[in-house]
Amino acid sequence: MTQDRAEALAAIAAQIKTCTKCDLYRGTTNAVPGTGNIHTEIMFIGEGPGFNEDKQGLPFVGRSGDYLNYLLNLINLNRDQVFITNVVKHRPPENRDPLPDEIIACKGYLDDQVELINPSVIVTLGRFSMARYFPTAKISQIHGQPKYDDEKYRAYYPLYHPAAVLRNPGLRRDMETDVKRLLEVIEKVKAMRAGATTAPEPKKDDDKPSGPPKQLSLF
Ligand code: SF4
């Protein structure tokens, strides 16, 4: 299949917008497939859309989005340089936690997004995206501790959810320290790739942006 990455991701987004595989679509205004740089090396995965995200069809808007923007700015990144999505693509009612069946129903979309974007670093935001890569861990114990995948040349980096930090300002110092360490994680993945005896899995198309963002030039 010669479908390029942009087309494939757009096709996934279109499927999400008409998806009825779980009940979360009921009563929502918009699906929130995810947004950002589809050629990025850094992918952020949150939990699920909230009130503002449902209204706008975009992830991490409102106060949580403002805080995520602030965190990105701490390391000289912005939203145009990363891809941001969630484990479920429709808003759970009253912002409740997504249920296991809902996460399973939605999993294929996220799996396909990860495979197509093929990021070097996946930053999980909160418990539910953390559980994809650290199934038995507690966020309070492993936040800021990367796990490196020697086969995919990728790091998984668990962070608190920005909304949790806003609710509990006592987490703010840890959160911001963890975000600053993300640069070290990127450097480690760069070293993994440089030291690899076999080439990392190639990107799936040649549709590269003409001017890679500053931080991404680390790769
Ligand atoms: S949350 Fe995911 S699985 Fe459930 S209806 Fe929305 S897109 Fe489909």
Side-chain angles (χ1 to χ4, degrees):
M1 189 166 73
T2 59
Q3 191 179 35
D4 75 11
R5 189 182 318 172
E7 289 175 344
L9 287 163
I12 292 168
Q15 289 173 32
I16 289 169
K17 288 174 183 172
T18 58
C19 181
T20 58
K21 289 201 294 183
C22 79
D23 284 340
L24 286 182
Y25 75 95
R26 297 181 189 277
T28 57
T29 303
N30 288 296
V32 185
T35 189
N37 186 334
I38 66 170
H39 300 284
T40 187
E41 303 289 353
I42 308 171
M43 187 168 181
F44 286 78
I45 305 175
E47 177 178 315
F51 177 86
N52 291 300
E53 289 78 9
D54 176 60
K55 292 293 173 231
Q56 298 185 39
L58 295 169
F60 285 93
V61 293
R63 287 186 67 225
S64 288
D66 289 344
Y67 186 47
L68 182 58
N69 292 344
Y70 168 82
L71 294 168
L72 290 170
N73 287 339
L74 288 179
I75 51 174
N76 295 320
L77 287 176
N78 62 57
R79 293 173 70 111
D80 294 337
Q81 294 170 283
V82 302
F83 192 88
I84 305 173
T85 188
N86 287 303
V87 292
V88 294
K89 315 300 191 187
H90 282 95
R91 181 193 180 203
E94 307 303 322
N95 291 350
R96 67 159 169 75
D97 291 343
L99 302 174
D101 285 355
E102 294 162 350
I103 294 171
I104 290 169
C106 214
K107 182 175 180 295
Y109 297 127
L110 181 54
D111 288 346
D112 288 348
Q113 289 173 319
V114 169
E115 183 177 341
L116 285 161
I117 294 172
N118 191 22
S120 295
V121 181
I122 292 180
V123 181
T124 64
L125 299 169
R127 291 177 292 142
F128 294 95
S129 54
M130 176 194 71
R132 277 176 61 90
Y133 306 107
F134 304 84
T136 60
K138 291 189 169 150
I139 186 73
S140 59
Q141 294 175 345
I142 68 153
H143 67 86
Q145 297 178 38
K147 178 165 76 176
Y148 295 96
D149 183 330
D150 293 335
E151 294 183 0
K152 295 184 185 296
Y153 304 104
R154 178 181 292 161
Y156 303 102
Y157 193 55
L159 297 180
Y160 287 114
H161 194 286
V165 179
L166 292 175
R167 284 195 301 271
N168 183 356
L171 299 176
R172 190 165 179 136
R173 182 190 291 182
D174 280 349
M175 182 66 157
E176 294 175 13
T177 299
D178 291 346
V179 167
K180 290 174 183 169
R181 284 196 61 223
L182 178 56
L183 294 178
E184 295 173 29
V185 177
I186 293 169
E187 286 291 343
K188 179 77 182 285
V189 176
K190 179 184 173 186
M192 285 169 63
R193 292 189 162 200
T197 54
T198 56
E201 184 178 325
K203 298 288 187 182
K204 290 184 180 296
D205 64 70
D206 294 319
D207 186 18
K208 300 285 195 264
S210 57
K214 180 181 174 190
Q215 289 297 333
L216 305 188
S217 67
L218 287 168
F219 294 89

